[in-house]
Amino acid sequence: ADHVTDVDARQRRAVEVVRRLLEDESSLLHQQGREDILRQTMEDGSSVVCSKCGGVVPSCRWRQHQLYWCEAGGEMEGEEE
């Protein structure tokens, strides 16, 4: 079904964004040797990746991110909270 494909696609995008962030030596977490924080937030589901701006957002703030803070702007069609 389409929803399964969409979920799979979102998961693949999230994994790719996190992989790039973990490899980014210029990130604050990398410079402090704290890449484990990012890895843990994605593994435990406490954060999600915005498919519009690529930002890592706490799950509890997903809706606010969509409405107010997303650099790409606007509400995202077809995205779940």
Side-chain angles (χ1 to χ4, degrees):
D2 287 342
H3 72 281
V4 174
T5 303
D6 291 345
V7 169
D8 289 343
R10 282 196 299 270
Q11 288 176 331
R12 283 193 303 276
R13 282 193 304 264
V15 167
E16 178 60 24
V17 167
V18 171
R19 185 189 62 75
R20 285 194 312 252
L21 287 170
L22 289 171
E23 294 173 352
D24 182 358
E25 294 181 8
S26 68
S27 75
L28 184 61
L29 289 175
H30 189 280
Q31 291 173 6
Q32 294 178 348
R34 303 294 312 267
E35 300 95 332
D36 58 311
I37 292 173
L38 179 60
R39 190 175 290 113
Q40 287 173 341
T41 62
M42 296 309 294
E43 288 175 357
D44 69 14
S46 63
S47 294
V48 296
V49 175
C50 176
S51 62
K52 287 224 173 191
C53 71
V56 178
V57 182
S59 297
C60 63
R61 296 203 177 261
W62 176 240
R63 188 75 178 142
Q64 291 85 354
H65 173 79
Q66 288 179 303
L67 294 173
Y68 306 112
W69 301 316
C70 181
E71 294 173 2
E75 190 163 338
M76 298 170 62
E77 295 180 28
E79 290 290 321
E80 296 178 12
E81 291 183 33

